[in-house]
């Protein structure tokens, strides 16, 4: 189907806040009298965005750089189900849901023809995402390269016996079983293993790779000295290396605040950590010239209950949520949509489809921004059903949130 694509971005950084942050205590702030700690939050309206400036001291000064979708609603309230839904852009228990690839894997296969001979890094990188969704039914070469950032960089990129001996062993290995590596009689698993060998070998003894994944304590400091900060720093360095990576997923957990949500070490501290990491990421992307080419998406799997707290002084699972969007030419300083006084439902959808924005719409937005036809259907799935990039995309049931750029 011929569709007009946004085609605004070269890269995408997708930050998944697992556990599900409270939308009404962060990017869709609602002050509930006698409940919300206003003095600790210091709420302020800045260019149409009402934010808790005390726990978002940096992002609250950067509102021109991002927009917040407030009329978003999840389909599910079970963590694993909704987290998977967010990563594959469809119902995990529907047809093909259990073999659906990560959005990043779809980006990887779509961008494969654009890879250069000098690209040594995988197209899809996943940071702090051990439980992240993989390549589904697609070849494992499109799976996320999962890394836990550390100052020393990637592990196993050198051999204890030295590069010369390592090369000799690799050459011998090729002589012994190369016949089983290409058009293997044992099928795709053997060819996938060969692809892994070649990809890993390309990252060994490579200064570009070392520079992309290593960082100093001084570099780490502005990002907050946290695991999320380390991932944001690594994401920027990898994109700046321009070595093939186009889609980066970052997972940041711990947002399941069922108890004592306003204790300083719980939500307030976690928001401060997010503020430092994401604000520095945006600042670095701008300084390095990558901001206009990079779409930044930050979302949880759902939101949390609104109004008064539970008996455990926390907030439970709730469908209404937010989605933070930045970069790639997005017009910041404003929300897309709005919610009612409590934040329980959308009061203004803020876009042309006049309904809640769903994970499928976010998926379509990512694809369209990257110049990928979100209405495409692949006919290589094992059941020959036809795999839709976005469910019902051809029928225009879901589509990109173009208002982010309007």
């Amino acid at each position: 189907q011929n569709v007009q694509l946004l085609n605004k971005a070269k890269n995408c950084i997708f930050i998944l806040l697992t556990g599900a942050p409270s939308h009404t205590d962060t990017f869709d702030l609602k002050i509930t009298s006698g409940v919300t700690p206003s003095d600790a939050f210091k709420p302020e309206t800045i260019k149409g965005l009402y934010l808790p400036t005390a726990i978002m001291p940096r992002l609250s000064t950067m509102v021109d750089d991002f927009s917040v979708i407030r009329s978003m609603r999840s389909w599910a309230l079970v963590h694993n189900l909704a987290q998977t839904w967010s990563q594959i852009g469809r119902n995990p228990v529907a047809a093909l849901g259990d073999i659906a690839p990560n959005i990043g894997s779809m980006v990887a296969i779509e961008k494969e023809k654009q890879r250069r001979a000098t690209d040594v890094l995988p197209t899809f990188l996943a940071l702090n995402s051990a439980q992240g969704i993989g390549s589904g039914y697609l070849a494992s070469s499109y799976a996320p390269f999962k890394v836990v950032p550390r100052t020393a960089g990637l592990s196993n990129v050198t051999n204890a016996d030295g590069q010369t001996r390592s090369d000799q062993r690799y050459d011998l290995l090729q002589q012994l079983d190369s016949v089983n590596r290409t058009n293997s009689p044992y099928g795709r698993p053997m060819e996938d293993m060969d692809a892994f060998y070649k990809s890993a070998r390309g990252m060994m003894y490579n200064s570009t790779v070392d520079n992309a994944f290593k960082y100093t304590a001084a570099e780490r400091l502005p990002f907050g000295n946290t695991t999320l900060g380390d991932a944001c720093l690594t994401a920027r360095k990898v994109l700046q290396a321009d070595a093939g990576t186009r889609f980066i997923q970052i997972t940041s957990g711990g947002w399941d605040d069922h108890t004592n949500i306003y204790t300083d070490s719980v939500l307030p501290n976690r928001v401060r950590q997010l503020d430092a990491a994401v604000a520095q990421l945006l600042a670095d992307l701008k300084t390095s010239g990558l901001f206009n080419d990079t779409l930044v998406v930050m979302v949880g799997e759902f939101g949390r209950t609104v109004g008064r707290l539970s008996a455990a002084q926390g907030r439970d699972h709730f469908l209404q949520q937010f989605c933070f969007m930045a970069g790639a030419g997005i017009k910041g300083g404003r929300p897309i949509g709005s919610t009612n006084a409590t934040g329980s439902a959308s009061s203004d959808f803020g876009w042309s489809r006049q309904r809640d924005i769903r994970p499928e719409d976010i998926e379509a937005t990512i694809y369209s921004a990257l110049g990928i036809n979100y209405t495409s259907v692949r006919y290589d799935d094992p059941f020959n059903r036809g795999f839709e990039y976005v469910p019902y995309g051809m029928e225009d049931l879901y589509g990109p949130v173009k208002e982010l750029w309007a």
Side-chain angles (χ1 to χ4, degrees), residues 205-225:
Y205 299 101
N206 190 304
S207 59
T208 299
V209 174
D210 289 343
N211 292 334
F213 285 95
K214 289 181 179 180
Y215 51 87
T216 66
E219 288 179 297
R220 187 175 186 247
L221 183 61
F223 287 84
N225 287 327

Short mmCIF file of all heavy atoms in Angstrom, two decimals, residues 205-225:
data_model
loop_
_atom_site.label_atom_id
_atom_site.label_comp_id
_atom_site.label_asym_id
_atom_site.label_seq_id
_atom_site.Cartn_x
_atom_site.Cartn_y
_atom_site.Cartn_z
N TYR A 205 39.24 -6.73 18.49
CA TYR A 205 40.40 -5.92 18.16
C TYR A 205 40.02 -4.75 17.25
O TYR A 205 40.67 -4.47 16.25
CB TYR A 205 41.49 -6.78 17.49
CG TYR A 205 41.98 -7.90 18.37
CD1 TYR A 205 41.53 -9.20 18.18
CD2 TYR A 205 42.87 -7.65 19.41
CE1 TYR A 205 41.96 -10.24 18.99
CE2 TYR A 205 43.32 -8.67 20.23
CZ TYR A 205 42.87 -9.97 20.02
OH TYR A 205 43.29 -10.99 20.84
N ASN A 206 38.94 -4.08 17.62
CA ASN A 206 38.40 -3.01 16.79
C ASN A 206 38.30 -1.73 17.63
O ASN A 206 37.54 -1.68 18.59
CB ASN A 206 37.02 -3.42 16.25
CG ASN A 206 36.51 -2.47 15.19
OD1 ASN A 206 36.41 -1.28 15.41
ND2 ASN A 206 36.17 -3.02 14.03
N SER A 207 39.04 -0.73 17.26
CA SER A 207 39.08 0.51 18.05
C SER A 207 37.74 1.23 18.01
O SER A 207 37.36 1.89 18.99
CB SER A 207 40.19 1.43 17.53
OG SER A 207 39.97 1.76 16.17
N THR A 208 37.00 1.13 16.90
CA THR A 208 35.68 1.76 16.83
C THR A 208 34.75 1.16 17.85
O THR A 208 34.00 1.88 18.55
CB THR A 208 35.08 1.58 15.41
OG1 THR A 208 35.93 2.22 14.45
CG2 THR A 208 33.69 2.19 15.34
N VAL A 209 34.79 -0.15 17.98
CA VAL A 209 33.94 -0.84 18.96
C VAL A 209 34.36 -0.47 20.38
O VAL A 209 33.52 -0.18 21.25
CB VAL A 209 34.02 -2.36 18.76
CG1 VAL A 209 33.26 -3.10 19.87
CG2 VAL A 209 33.46 -2.74 17.39
N ASP A 210 35.67 -0.46 20.62
CA ASP A 210 36.15 -0.09 21.96
C ASP A 210 35.71 1.31 22.34
O ASP A 210 35.22 1.54 23.47
CB ASP A 210 37.69 -0.16 22.00
CG ASP A 210 38.20 -1.59 21.96
OD1 ASP A 210 37.40 -2.52 22.22
OD2 ASP A 210 39.39 -1.78 21.65
N ASN A 211 35.84 2.25 21.44
CA ASN A 211 35.45 3.63 21.74
C ASN A 211 33.96 3.78 21.95
O ASN A 211 33.51 4.64 22.71
CB ASN A 211 35.91 4.55 20.60
CG ASN A 211 37.42 4.67 20.51
OD1 ASN A 211 38.12 4.50 21.50
ND2 ASN A 211 37.93 4.96 19.32
N ALA A 212 33.18 2.95 21.27
CA ALA A 212 31.73 3.05 21.39
C ALA A 212 31.22 2.53 22.72
O ALA A 212 30.23 3.04 23.27
CB ALA A 212 31.06 2.29 20.24
N PHE A 213 31.88 1.51 23.27
CA PHE A 213 31.34 0.86 24.47
C PHE A 213 32.10 1.16 25.76
O PHE A 213 31.58 0.94 26.85
CB PHE A 213 31.27 -0.66 24.26
CG PHE A 213 30.14 -1.08 23.36
CD1 PHE A 213 30.36 -1.28 22.00
CD2 PHE A 213 28.87 -1.25 23.86
CE1 PHE A 213 29.32 -1.67 21.17
CE2 PHE A 213 27.83 -1.63 23.04
CZ PHE A 213 28.04 -1.83 21.69
N LYS A 214 33.31 1.67 25.65
CA LYS A 214 34.04 2.04 26.86
C LYS A 214 33.70 3.47 27.25
O LYS A 214 33.42 4.31 26.40
CB LYS A 214 35.54 1.93 26.63
CG LYS A 214 36.06 0.51 26.52
CD LYS A 214 37.57 0.49 26.32
CE LYS A 214 38.11 -0.93 26.24
NZ LYS A 214 39.59 -0.94 26.03
N TYR A 215 33.71 3.75 28.54
CA TYR A 215 33.52 5.13 28.99
C TYR A 215 34.22 5.33 30.34
O TYR A 215 34.51 4.37 31.06
CB TYR A 215 32.03 5.46 29.11
CG TYR A 215 31.19 4.48 29.90
CD1 TYR A 215 31.07 4.58 31.28
CD2 TYR A 215 30.52 3.44 29.26
CE1 TYR A 215 30.30 3.68 32.00
CE2 TYR A 215 29.74 2.54 29.96
CZ TYR A 215 29.64 2.66 31.34
OH TYR A 215 28.88 1.76 32.05
N THR A 216 34.49 6.57 30.64
CA THR A 216 35.21 6.91 31.86
C THR A 216 34.24 7.34 32.96
O THR A 216 33.05 7.61 32.70
CB THR A 216 36.19 8.06 31.60
OG1 THR A 216 35.42 9.24 31.27
CG2 THR A 216 37.12 7.73 30.45
N ALA A 217 34.76 7.44 34.16
CA ALA A 217 33.94 7.91 35.29
C ALA A 217 33.50 9.35 35.04
O ALA A 217 32.38 9.74 35.41
CB ALA A 217 34.75 7.82 36.58
N ALA A 218 34.35 10.14 34.40
CA ALA A 218 33.99 11.53 34.12
C ALA A 218 32.85 11.60 33.10
O ALA A 218 31.96 12.45 33.22
CB ALA A 218 35.21 12.27 33.59
N GLU A 219 32.85 10.71 32.10
CA GLU A 219 31.75 10.68 31.13
C GLU A 219 30.46 10.21 31.79
O GLU A 219 29.37 10.65 31.44
CB GLU A 219 32.09 9.73 29.98
CG GLU A 219 33.16 10.24 29.03
CD GLU A 219 33.45 9.23 27.94
OE1 GLU A 219 33.91 8.12 28.26
OE2 GLU A 219 33.22 9.56 26.75
N ARG A 220 30.58 9.31 32.73
CA ARG A 220 29.42 8.71 33.38
C ARG A 220 28.71 9.69 34.31
O ARG A 220 27.49 9.65 34.46
CB ARG A 220 29.90 7.49 34.16
CG ARG A 220 28.83 6.62 34.77
CD ARG A 220 29.44 5.38 35.42
NE ARG A 220 28.39 4.50 35.88
CZ ARG A 220 28.12 4.24 37.16
NH1 ARG A 220 28.85 4.82 38.11
NH2 ARG A 220 27.14 3.43 37.50
N LEU A 221 29.46 10.57 34.93
CA LEU A 221 28.93 11.44 35.97
C LEU A 221 27.73 12.27 35.54
O LEU A 221 26.71 12.30 36.25
CB LEU A 221 30.05 12.35 36.50
CG LEU A 221 29.69 13.28 37.65
CD1 LEU A 221 29.25 12.49 38.87
CD2 LEU A 221 30.87 14.18 38.00
N PRO A 222 27.74 12.97 34.39
CA PRO A 222 26.59 13.81 34.03
C PRO A 222 25.30 13.02 33.82
O PRO A 222 24.21 13.59 33.88
CB PRO A 222 27.04 14.49 32.74
CG PRO A 222 28.51 14.36 32.71
CD PRO A 222 28.83 13.09 33.42
N PHE A 223 25.44 11.72 33.55
CA PHE A 223 24.27 10.88 33.32
C PHE A 223 23.69 10.33 34.63
O PHE A 223 22.68 9.64 34.60
CB PHE A 223 24.63 9.73 32.39
CG PHE A 223 24.82 10.14 30.96
CD1 PHE A 223 26.03 10.64 30.52
CD2 PHE A 223 23.79 10.02 30.04
CE1 PHE A 223 26.21 11.02 29.19
CE2 PHE A 223 23.95 10.40 28.72
CZ PHE A 223 25.17 10.90 28.30
N GLY A 224 24.34 10.62 35.76
CA GLY A 224 23.78 10.26 37.05
C GLY A 224 24.39 9.08 37.75
O GLY A 224 23.93 8.69 38.84
N ASN A 225 25.40 8.44 37.16
CA ASN A 225 26.04 7.28 37.79
C ASN A 225 25.04 6.17 38.13
O ASN A 225 25.05 5.61 39.22
CB ASN A 225 26.79 7.69 39.07
CG ASN A 225 28.06 8.47 38.76
OD1 ASN A 225 28.71 8.22 37.76
ND2 ASN A 225 28.40 9.42 39.62
#
